[in-house]
């Protein structure tokens, strides 16, 4: 394996820590900034939307620029945004910092994947992408609990300073390890968006959006579910995140292996069904006898992490099978669909908390994985061989 891929993954790790640790920070942020918990959740929605829509635009604008320079600058901007967030004075200030972080995160992730493909041989490109995406998995497994632990010790601001440190490490490593002169294809925004029309791709993107919306209906308020629905003390939130992360690490590895053995589509369907079942079970766990609630909840969280994170690698494999010659384009669009799903799930969760209770989040979220199966059916129905639109080298 090319060691340079690991340094690219450090950046996706930093981004993932911020993106997933915030679920444990929202109650503190709401108290600190004087807003409601639902309004604090709008920080997640803004980040997700800025990432989803900003990534293809910025990728089009910087497509032919030196990739080492783009990756280094975006990692430093992300780190600067994290410092800004740590020192922010009020809700609007923090919102602006997170939007800046979202734009830089989206461009970094898209460029990192394209760079991984460029520096790898043709038969190792999928593996290169999996290593870079693996940075996000490690962030879920270990970074998010660490962020929650730091927040518990020194407040949520300390978590942002930690994220900034990871961003600086990524920038320095990339500048040292990557060669200069790597440049991408000159693709316009219209050409990038046109990949949405490739046969089978629209249904697959809809599947990603809906399945992630269901998962993030709970993930984004997992701390609230832990304390408000399950009744565990706030000090156990990092342990809950760690349990979820350990499951996610196993699920990510298993999802890729299962996709190779039984097929990507079958793995995606299985992961979606299990995601929905786990969400329902999390809602039901609050109604168990008092002595069973905590152990059953932790077991469910581990299983949910595993089943939920079996989806991303299998879905990436499925998208690659739909259009092998357009891998960077369809994976970039999938990332946008993922963040649109996060935004949708966060919005839905906020409405549930406004009109219901934390224990309602699971069963409401489970509706969306069920709907996402329609996307898989649509993708399969429309799938046809299609020539490559663009190749990224």
């Amino acid at each position: 394996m090319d060691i340079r891929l690991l340094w690219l993954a450090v950046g996706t790790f930093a981004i993932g820590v911020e993106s997933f640790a915030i679920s444990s920070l929202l109650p503190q942020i709401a108290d600190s900034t004087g807003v409601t918990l639902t309004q604090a959740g709008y920080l997640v929605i803004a980040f997700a939307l800025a990432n989803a829509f900003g990534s293809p635009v910025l990728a089009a604008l910087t497509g032919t620029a030196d990739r080492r320079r783009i990756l280094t600058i975006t990692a430093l901007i992300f780190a600067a945004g994290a410092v800004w967030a740590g020192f922010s004075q009020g809700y609007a200030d923090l919102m602006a910092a997170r939007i800046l972080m979202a734009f830089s995160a989206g461009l970094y992730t898209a460029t990192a994947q394209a760079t991984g493909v460029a520096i790898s041989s043709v038969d190792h490109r999928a593996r290169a992408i999996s290593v870079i995406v693996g940075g996000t998995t490690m962030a879920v497994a270990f970074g998010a609990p660490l962020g929650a632990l730091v927040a518990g010790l020194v407040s949520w601001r300390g978590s942002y300073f930690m994220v900034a440190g990871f961003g600086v490490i990524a920038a320095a490593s990339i500048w040292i390890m990557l060669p200069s002169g790597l440049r991408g294809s000159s693709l316009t925004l219209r050409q990038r968006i046109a990949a949405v029309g490739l046969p089978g791709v629209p249904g697959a993107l809809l599947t990603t959006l809906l399945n992630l919306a269901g998962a993030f209906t709970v993930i984004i308020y997992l701390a609230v579910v832990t304390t408000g629905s399950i009744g565990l003390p706030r000090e156990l939130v990092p342990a809950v995140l760690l349990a979820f992360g350990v499951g996610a690490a196993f699920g990510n590895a298993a999802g890729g292996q299962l996709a190779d053995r039984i097929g990507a589509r079958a793995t995606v369907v299985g992961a979606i069904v299990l995601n929905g079942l786990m969400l329902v079970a999390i809602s039901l766990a609050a109604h168990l006898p008092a002595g069973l609630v905590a152990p059953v909840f932790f077991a469910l969280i581990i299983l949910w992490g595993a089943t939920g994170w079996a989806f991303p690698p299998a879905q990436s494999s499925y998208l690659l099978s739909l259009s092998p010659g357009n891998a960077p384009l369809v994976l970039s669009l999938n990332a946008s669909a993922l963040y649109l799903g996060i935004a949708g799930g966060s919005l839905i969760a906020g409405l549930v908390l406004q009109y219901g209770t934390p224990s309602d989040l699971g069963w409401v979220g489970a509706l969306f994985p069920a709907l996402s199966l329609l996307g898989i059916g649509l993708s399969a129905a429309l799938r046809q061989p299609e020539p490559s639109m663009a190749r990224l080298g």
Side-chain angles (χ1 to χ4, degrees):
M1 182 184 67
D2 193 327
I3 192 68
R4 294 173 295 181
L5 298 173
L6 295 178
W7 296 114
L8 291 171
V10 173
T12 56
F13 176 82
I15 293 167
V17 171
E18 199 283 337
S19 299
F20 290 95
I22 196 167
S23 64
S24 64
L25 308 183
L26 288 180
Q28 283 192 31
I29 290 174
D31 292 340
S32 175
T33 58
V35 300
T36 67
L37 191 60
T38 299
Q39 289 172 323
Y42 294 159
L43 294 167
V44 179
I45 297 173
F47 183 98
L49 291 176
N51 193 308
F53 291 110
S55 176
V57 174
L58 292 173
L61 293 174
T62 60
T64 59
D66 183 276
R67 287 172 174 165
R68 184 178 72 163
R69 185 170 299 169
I70 290 297
L71 288 166
T72 302
I73 291 173
T74 51
L76 289 174
I77 292 174
F78 182 82
V83 172
W84 179 5
F87 284 118
S88 61
Q89 301 298 313
Y91 179 74
D93 202 18
L94 180 56
M95 176 73 79
R98 291 205 84 236
I99 290 174
L100 175 65
M101 294 175 72
F103 284 135
S104 57
L107 179 57
Y108 179 92
T109 302
T111 306
Q113 290 190 5
T115 303
V117 169
I119 64 177
S120 302
S121 59
V122 174
D123 57 334
H124 286 85
R125 287 182 172 182
R127 187 179 304 174
I129 292 171
S130 70
V131 171
I132 295 167
V133 175
T136 303
T137 306
M138 295 302 292
V140 176
F142 304 109
L146 179 60
L149 182 62
V150 171
L153 294 174
V154 296
S155 89
W156 61 271
R157 298 180 186 276
S159 296
Y160 275 102
F161 295 137
M162 179 189 71
V163 167
F166 287 132
V168 171
I169 292 171
S173 303
I174 289 165
W175 185 257
I176 294 170
M177 298 298 295
L178 282 184
S180 61
L182 288 173
R183 298 179 184 275
S185 304
S186 179
L187 297 175
T188 66
L189 180 61
R190 177 176 294 181
Q191 287 174 309
R192 292 176 183 274
I193 296 176
V196 173
L198 291 169
V201 171
L205 297 179
L206 180 64
T207 299
T208 296
L209 191 156
L210 291 173
N211 192 50
L212 267 293
F216 270 83
T217 300
V218 173
I219 289 175
I220 198 57
Y221 289 113
L222 190 54
V224 179
V225 172
T226 300
T227 58
S229 176
I230 303 302
L232 298 179
R234 180 177 288 187
E235 291 74 18
L236 285 180
V237 170
V240 171
L241 290 175
L242 180 61
F244 181 81
V246 169
F250 282 106
N252 186 73
Q257 292 181 7
L258 284 172
D260 289 337
R261 292 184 180 182
I262 67 173
R265 184 171 179 269
T267 304
V268 166
V269 171
I272 289 171
V273 171
L274 290 172
N275 180 33
L277 292 175
M278 290 297 105
L279 288 168
V280 172
I282 288 170
S283 275
L284 294 177
H287 304 288
L288 292 171
L292 294 176
V293 171
V296 170
F297 178 66
F298 270 96
L300 287 174
I301 288 298
I302 294 172
L303 289 172
W304 182 42
T307 57
W309 276 82
F311 174 82
Q315 180 70 340
S316 294
S317 296
Y318 182 63
L319 278 161
L320 290 175
S321 73
L322 293 176
S323 187
N326 300 291
L329 291 178
V330 295
L331 290 176
S332 177
L333 289 170
N334 190 54
S336 292
L338 183 150
Y339 277 100
L340 288 175
I342 292 174
S346 303
L347 178 61
I348 293 159
L351 293 173
V352 171
L353 291 180
Q354 188 172 349
Y355 297 105
T357 65
S359 63
D360 295 325
L361 290 171
W363 69 261
V364 172
L367 298 174
F368 294 90
L371 290 173
S372 74
L373 293 173
L374 297 176
I376 282 286
L378 178 64
S379 176
L382 298 179
R383 181 179 179 181
Q384 297 172 4
E386 182 73 13
S388 170
M389 292 173 55
R391 296 181 185 274
L392 199 56

